[in-house]
Each structure stands twice: as C-alpha cells, then as structure tokens.
C-alpha cells in the first residue's frame, strides 16, 4: 500500500503493518459468517515482494501468522499471483511458491461442485518454464474433459489474472490475459460447462457475464487501485445458480451477509 501511495510499485515494500491489520480483520469477518464458508480463497498476490526481492520471507511469515486464526473448519485455498511467482515465472520461482504455499494448480470437489485452481502466470508468460506451462495445459485439458463428462452441479475456476476486465474483446493489457489466450480459454471453459471464473490482480471490482460465463474480478483486502473499500467477496452456490457479492471488511464484520444472500442458503 505504501509503494502504491508513493508511486513506486516496483519497491518490495518495507512496511506492511496495515496489510496485516486488514488481513486479521478479514479473518474475523470469515469466522463470523454463519453458516461457515466451505472454504476461503485468496486469489493471488499473497505478498507484495517479488521473488528474489528483500522482505519476501518476512512478508510470507507475517501473512501466515495473520491467517492462522481462520476457523479450522474453513480450509484455505491459495492461488499464485504474479508477485508470488514472478511476471515471468521460472522453475525456481514456481518451486519456491510450492514449498511455501502448496501446488500452483490443482482441483477439488465441494458438494458436487468442481473447483479448478490455475497458475495464470503460465498463461501470461510461460516462456521461461515451457515444461511447466505445457504440464499445466495438459492437466487442464484433462480436467475440462472430466468436467464435461461428469455430472457436477457447477464448475468454477480460480486464477489470479482475469480473462478480461470488462469485455472479452478488449485489447491486451497488463491486467488481463492476452486476447488469443483469453479467447481459447473462454471457448474451452464454456464447452466444459464452467459457470464462473474468479480472479484478482486488478485491485478493483470489475468483470461481466458473457455467453453464460461469469468473469468475476474482485478487489483486494489490501491495496486498492480504485475507489473500492478493502473487502472480500462472498459467494453462495445453490443447486441452480452461483451468486456473489463484494462486501467491505467493516460491513462484513459488523453485520455479515445481506438477508437475501442468507435466504439462498435456506
């Protein structure tokens, strides 16, 4: 947050006390939700310092410490971002991430819902680790075919970089995947029955629904690049729909979900 305020986001960030406070507030908000969430996802950029930069180990340590009070009944799901594996990841940076946070891509099932976690940096620029890029690609194709064949109620994707920020035909930009990659993934996701893609990276709320695929871009617990409050997105999945709403941390801590969201769970 300090680096953004000072206009130097390449700085590794020597201060992060406010981010720790906000993360602890997010943990408090999650723990107060009723019923308990089936899981909590952090959609990348877990820390600010890029691989090889100062303060990285300290930032990882303090984030893990801030997250340790999440209710044990709420599993944590970590998604790798560009600050976690680098804008151009290497085998070394990916391995470092895996040692600290777990696999950079994987799938899991929750209540008939298939969830896919992807390393979007391998889509954005996998030139320095083509074997890892190709391995994820082969795995993803297998998972999407599995989703198309299965009777899963919904399929959801979690990745750091959005497919797009506003519309599928927008020009290439730092904050979204390149148009060719984007179009291919959208086509494949739709064929497999994916209902929604959840991303971060933009540090603002954005996205949209196109051809039945919901591209959900959520703002941040920490640094805001726009006017959104520090917050989190609550997602309610029912038999027939996926409904989501962004809340400020203050609102979520004080009063939890809105009543209409709670009624969907009845």
């Amino acid at each position: 947050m300090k680096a953004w305020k000072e206009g130097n986001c390449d700085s590794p960030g020597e201060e992060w006390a406010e981010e720790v406070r906000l993360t602890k507030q997010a943990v408090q908000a999650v723990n107060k939700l009723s019923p308990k969430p089936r899981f909590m996802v952090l959609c990348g950029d877990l820390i600010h310092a890029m691989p090889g930069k100062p303060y990285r180990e300290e930032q990882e340590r303090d984030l893990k410490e801030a997250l340790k009070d999440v209710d044990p009944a709420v599993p944590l799901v970590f998604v790798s971002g560009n600050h976690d594996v680098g804008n151009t990841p290497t085998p070394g940076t990916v391995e470092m991430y895996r040692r600290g946070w777990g696999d950079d891509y994987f799938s899991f099932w929750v209540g008939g819902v298939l969830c896919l976690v992807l390393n979007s940096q391998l889509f954005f620029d996998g030139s320095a680790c083509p074997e890892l890029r190709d391995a994820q690609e082969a795995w993803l194709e297998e998972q999407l075919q599995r989703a198309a064949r299965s009777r899963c109620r919904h399929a959801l994707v979690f990745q750091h970089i959005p497919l797009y920020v506003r519309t599928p035909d927008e020009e290439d930009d730092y904050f979204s995947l390149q148009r060719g990659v984007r179009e291919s993934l959208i086509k494949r996701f739709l064929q497999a029955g994916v209902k929604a893609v959840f991303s971060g990276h933009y540090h603002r709320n954005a996205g949209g629904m196109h051809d039945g695929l919901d591209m959900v871009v959520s703002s941040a617990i920490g640094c805001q690049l726009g006017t959104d409050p520090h917050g989190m997105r609550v997602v309610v999945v029912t038999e027939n729909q996926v409904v989501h709403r962004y809340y400020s941390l203050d609102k979520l801590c004080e009063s939890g979900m809105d009543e209409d969201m709670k009624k969907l769970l009845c």
Side-chain angles (χ1 to χ4, degrees):
M1 290 166 63
K2 181 183 178 184
W4 169 251
K5 183 178 180 181
E6 294 179 346
N8 181 21
C9 284
D10 290 333
S11 163
E14 73 276 12
E15 294 181 16
W16 56 88
E18 182 65 6
E19 285 89 338
V20 169
R21 183 191 70 79
L22 290 164
T23 302
K24 290 181 176 179
Q25 187 181 11
V27 169
Q28 178 187 0
V30 169
N31 288 344
K32 290 178 65 176
L33 286 173
S34 180
K36 295 292 184 187
R38 297 298 296 270
F39 56 91
M40 173 185 176
V41 184
L42 284 82
C43 272
D45 282 358
L46 307 177
I47 58 173
H48 178 67
M50 289 280 193
K53 295 294 185 180
Y55 310 118
R56 184 176 175 90
E57 292 184 2
E58 293 88 345
Q59 290 176 9
E60 286 191 353
R61 177 200 65 207
D62 287 355
L63 175 57
K64 290 177 179 179
E65 180 68 19
L67 292 172
K68 73 176 186 179
D69 290 328
V70 173
D71 191 315
V74 183
L76 290 169
V77 176
F78 297 108
V79 180
S80 61
N82 59 304
H83 282 258
D84 304 311
V85 298
N87 287 317
T88 302
T90 68
T93 63
V94 172
E95 177 57 30
M96 181 171 56
Y97 173 85
R98 290 173 175 174
R99 289 198 304 267
W101 301 100
D103 291 335
D104 56 318
Y105 61 89
F106 55 94
S107 64
F108 59 97
W109 288 83
V110 179
V113 177
L114 175 61
C115 299
L116 304 178
V117 173
L118 305 179
N119 181 348
S120 56
Q121 290 309 131
L122 297 178
F123 297 133
F124 190 80
D125 184 1
S127 60
C129 51
E131 291 184 357
L132 295 179
R133 177 196 62 206
D134 294 347
Q136 177 180 245
E137 174 60 33
W139 174 87
L140 176 59
E141 182 59 30
E142 178 184 327
Q143 293 293 315
L144 293 176
Q145 290 182 13
R146 177 188 181 194
R149 292 192 307 264
S150 73
R151 296 184 178 181
C152 62
R153 180 57 61 183
H154 304 290
L156 307 175
V157 170
F158 301 92
Q159 61 185 55
H160 179 61
I161 302 179
L163 299 170
Y164 55 85
V165 172
R166 299 294 179 188
T167 62
D169 60 353
E170 66 194 23
E171 297 300 319
D172 290 356
D173 184 81
Y174 170 79
F175 285 111
S176 60
L177 292 179
Q178 298 92 333
R179 194 164 180 174
V181 175
R182 174 197 318 159
E183 291 174 349
S184 174
L185 286 173
I186 290 174
K187 179 180 179 180
R188 295 164 67 195
F189 287 167
L190 287 171
Q191 288 174 342
V194 173
K195 294 291 183 65
V197 177
F198 294 91
S199 297
H201 192 51
Y202 191 51
H203 292 252
R204 288 154 283 195
N205 288 307
M209 176 77 77
H210 297 274
D211 296 328
L213 178 63
D214 196 359
M215 180 62 250
V216 186
V217 185
S218 293
S219 197
I221 290 173
C223 184
Q224 301 296 321
L225 303 189
T227 59
D228 295 303
H230 303 285
M232 303 175 69
R233 188 172 298 273
V234 175
V235 183
V236 174
V237 180
T238 70
E239 184 176 8
N240 297 312
Q241 57 185 333
V242 178
V243 181
H244 52 85
R245 188 168 299 163
Y246 186 84
Y247 290 91
S248 72
L249 295 180
D250 290 341
K251 167 69 167 61
L252 210 52
C253 282
E254 291 168 3
S255 54
M257 290 187 292
D258 295 325
E259 288 302 319
D260 62 327
M261 293 281 278
K262 292 179 181 178
K263 288 179 179 179
L264 291 172
L265 296 168
C266 296

